[in-house]
Amino acid sequence: SNLTSRVDGDNGAVPYSHSSHGAQGAPLVFSRPTDVSDAWFILNLLSAVPFLSTLSYAHTMEILEIAQVEVYGAGEVVVEGLRRPEFLCVFWEGTCFANKGSGESASRPNSMPVVWHAGDWTGPVSLQPDINRSAVSTDQEGLGDIIALSDEGVKVILLKMKDVVRILKAGSNLFRKYVALTEEMEEKWDQTTPSNLRYSLQDAVERSSEIMGVIQCNSVLRSLTAMQKRCL
C-alpha cells in the first residue's frame, strides 16, 4: 500500500488533526473522545524530554500551546525522514518504526529498524540523547521515515523545533548553558582539519552509542531519566 504523510509544517497547531481518513477508515485511536485530562497526559509525556521539565509554569503553557496531536492509520508516514530534524515527536499511543534510510547502511541485511512505543520520543540529539532514536543520521545513512505500525493506529504529539528552541532559550537556564557549550565545541571543530573532523564526529557517534549500550545493559543506569542521560 502507498505510504502517505500528513505533517504540515506551516499551519498553526490544532488540538487534534485527522484529515485523510473517511468515517469508516479512521484509526481506532481516534475513536476515543477528547477529555479535559488530555492536557495533563500531554504534559506528563513531554516532561520526560530533557530540559522541558526545567521550564516555569508560563513557559510550560507555551509548550502546551504549540503541541499538535495527530493520529495516523497503520502504514501512514508520521514524519518524513528529511523533516525529522524539524520536529520533536512524542509517541502517545501505538507503535511506530523508522524504515531504512537511503544511505550505504540501508542495504545492510542485519540492520534493524528503530521502534518507538508509547512514551518514547524522537528529535534532535539535544532532546533525545539516544542517538539511534534521535533525528541524527549515522554512518552516512539517511534518516528513515517514521511510519505507524500498530493496526489500531497511532497518536503522536508533534512540536516544531524552531518553536521549542525559542521557548527553551527563553525559559531554561540549563538549556542556555547546553547551547553555549555546544557552540564552544563547534568553534573548536571549525578549527579542525576536514579529515580530523570526520574522525571526531564518527568517534563521537560511536562513543554515544557505546554509552547508551552500557546504560541499557545496567539495571541501575537504565533507571536514569533522559535528562540524566543527556548530562552523561
Side-chain angles (χ1 to χ4, degrees):
S1 60
N2 293 330
L3 300 176
T4 59
S5 175
R6 296 186 288 106
V7 171
D8 186 349
D10 299 320
N11 294 335
V14 294
Y16 284 86
S17 178
H18 146 103
S19 58
S20 64
H21 307 287
Q24 296 180 345
L28 291 179
V29 293
F30 195 78
S31 63
R32 184 177 68 81
T34 59
D35 189 88
V36 292
S37 64
D38 282 356
W40 182 89
F41 281 109
I42 293 172
L43 289 176
N44 189 48
L45 288 167
L46 292 176
S47 67
V49 180
F51 303 114
L52 295 189
S53 62
T54 66
L55 293 172
S56 66
Y57 175 82
H59 287 106
T60 299
M61 290 302 100
E62 288 187 49
I63 288 289
L64 187 60
E65 288 176 0
I66 66 171
Q68 179 172 341
V69 178
E70 292 273 6
V71 294
Y72 297 85
E76 281 196 287
V77 175
V78 178
V79 184
E80 296 173 348
L82 290 176
R83 302 195 66 189
R84 281 174 57 182
E86 301 175 19
F87 292 93
L88 169 63
C89 179
V90 181
F91 302 90
W92 187 344
E93 294 184 31
T95 301
C96 293
F97 75 100
N99 64 0
K100 295 180 180 180
S102 58
E104 293 177 0
S105 56
S107 59
R108 293 179 181 174
N110 296 327
S111 60
M112 298 294 293
V114 179
V115 177
W116 294 272
H117 303 285
D120 295 334
W121 70 93
T122 183
V125 73
S126 59
L127 300 184
Q128 175 48 276
D130 184 346
I131 199 163
N132 291 320
R133 294 177 179 272
S134 71
V136 176
S137 60
T138 60
D139 196 20
Q140 300 184 19
E141 178 179 352
L143 287 170
D145 299 333
I146 298 176
I147 300 172
L149 180 61
S150 299
D151 292 337
E152 65 273 19
V154 301
K155 181 184 293 184
V156 301
I157 306 167
L158 291 172
L159 303 91
K160 299 177 187 176
M161 276 306 303
K162 64 178 182 180
D163 295 327
V164 174
V165 170
R166 172 181 55 80
I167 295 172
L168 285 175
K169 284 184 175 180
S172 173
N173 184 51
L174 189 60
F175 183 76
R176 289 193 294 269
K177 290 181 179 178
Y178 170 81
V179 171
L181 179 61
T182 301
E183 291 175 348
E184 180 181 337
M185 293 176 63
E186 288 177 349
E187 288 181 4
K188 293 181 179 178
W189 285 350
D190 288 340
Q191 301 171 3
T192 305
T193 61
S195 59
N196 289 337
L197 178 59
R198 283 194 299 270
Y199 174 80
S200 298
L201 290 174
Q202 183 64 29
D203 183 59
V205 169
E206 291 176 354
R207 282 189 289 107
S208 177
S209 298
E210 290 173 359
I211 290 173
M212 294 307 301
V214 171
I215 289 174
Q216 294 304 318
C217 292
N218 186 289
S219 58
V220 175
L221 294 178
R222 271 203 308 270
S223 64
L224 294 176
T225 66
M227 174 63 82
Q228 291 169 325
K229 293 176 183 177
R230 171 71 276 170
C231 292
L232 289 177

